[in-house]
Amino acid sequence: MTGTTQRQPEDGPRPESLADLLGGRRGAVDATLPPLAFGLGWVLGGLGGGVLAAVLTGTAVAGWRWRRGDRPRSVLVGLLAVCVAALIALRTGRAADFFLLQIAANTASALAWAVSILVRWPLLGVVVGTALGQRTRWRRDPALLRAYGRASWVWAATYVLRVAVFVPLWLYGQVVALTVARAALTWPVIAAALAGSWVVIRRSLPAGHPGLRHPVAGTEGVAARTE
C-alpha cells in the first residue's frame, strides 16, 4: 500500500499536467510537418510539387509514429487527413485549398467544445476522465465539473483563433502565410492551452480538493462548489 501511494505522485504529474492526455506538443509538431512540406513544395514546384511533398512527408511521419508505438488508428487518420487535403487542392486547382480541411476541422472543433461546455459535458473532462479511467465519475464532482468547464473555454478559444487567422489568408490565397500560420498556431498554441487550462483548473478547484485523479461526489462535492 505504501509503495503504491509513493509511486503515484511520480506517475501523476505527466497526465495531470494535461500534456500527454491531450496529445502533447510532440504530436502537434508531427502534424505541422506535412503542411510545411506542402508550402515548401509549392514554392519550388507549384501545386504538384506541394502535393507530392506533403504526401511523402505525411507517409514518413505516419511510418515514424507507427514505429514509436502510436495507435494504428491515430496514425492512419493523420495520413488520411493529409491525403484528403491534397486531393481537395488537386480537385480545385487552388493551392490554398490544401488548408481548407484544416479550417473546417477547426470550425467544427470550436463548435464542439463550446456546445460541450453549455450542455455540461466539457470535452476536457471527457478526455481527461477517459484517460484516467474515471468514465463519468468526474461529472459527479461539482467543483471538478466547473473547473473542466472553465478550462475547456481555453481550448475552444484556440480553435476560434485559428479560424480567425486562417480564413482571411485562405480567401486571399496566401499559401506561404497559411503555411507559416499553420506552424505558428499549432504546437505553440497547444503548449499555451495546456499550460493555461491547467492554471484555470487549479485556480477553479477549492482548497483541499484531492485533484483530477480523485473526484469528490455527494455532499463534499456540493460543498466544494460553493467555496
Side-chain angles (χ1 to χ4, degrees):
M1 291 291 291
T2 304
T4 302
T5 56
Q6 289 177 342
R7 281 195 297 269
Q8 284 178 346
E10 296 178 6
D11 297 335
R14 291 189 64 183
E16 289 187 353
S17 71
L18 304 181
D20 287 339
L21 298 178
L22 298 178
R25 284 165 285 185
R26 184 175 64 179
V29 171
D30 296 350
T32 63
L33 294 179
L36 287 174
F38 175 83
L40 180 60
W42 177 78
V43 170
L44 297 176
L47 180 56
V51 166
L52 180 62
V55 172
L56 289 178
T57 302
T59 303
V61 169
W64 180 55
R65 292 180 61 189
W66 184 286
R67 272 188 177 181
R68 77 184 185 193
D70 285 12
R71 294 180 179 179
R73 183 173 61 180
S74 175
V75 172
L76 292 176
V77 167
L79 180 57
L80 179 62
V82 175
C83 293
V84 170
L87 287 173
I88 292 173
L90 287 174
R91 179 75 174 178
T92 64
R94 188 171 181 264
D97 287 351
F98 179 84
F99 299 90
L100 190 57
L101 181 63
Q102 187 67 27
I103 294 173
N106 277 278
T107 302
S109 296
L111 291 172
W113 280 81
V115 170
S116 75
I117 299 166
L118 295 176
V119 300
R120 297 180 61 80
W121 275 91
L123 283 178
L124 189 59
V126 173
V127 173
V128 176
T130 300
L132 295 178
Q134 297 171 347
R135 298 186 179 179
T136 61
R137 283 190 292 123
W138 57 273
R139 290 196 76 247
R140 296 195 290 271
D141 183 338
L144 195 54
L145 177 60
R146 180 183 60 183
Y148 279 137
R150 291 176 176 177
S152 290
W153 283 117
V154 175
W155 288 90
T158 66
Y159 296 109
V160 172
L161 172 63
R162 292 192 188 105
V163 173
V165 173
F166 290 157
V167 169
L169 296 176
W170 170 73
L171 289 173
Y172 286 97
Q174 299 297 313
V175 178
V176 174
L178 279 166
T179 302
V180 174
R182 178 72 168 85
L185 295 178
T186 303
W187 70 265
V189 170
I190 288 179
L194 287 168
S197 56
W198 177 230
V199 169
V200 170
I201 287 175
R202 291 187 64 181
R203 290 184 176 180
S204 297
L205 291 177
H209 191 282
L212 305 185
R213 291 178 173 272
H214 306 286
V216 179
T219 55
E220 292 183 60
V222 173
R225 181 174 58 182
T226 60
E227 294 183 19

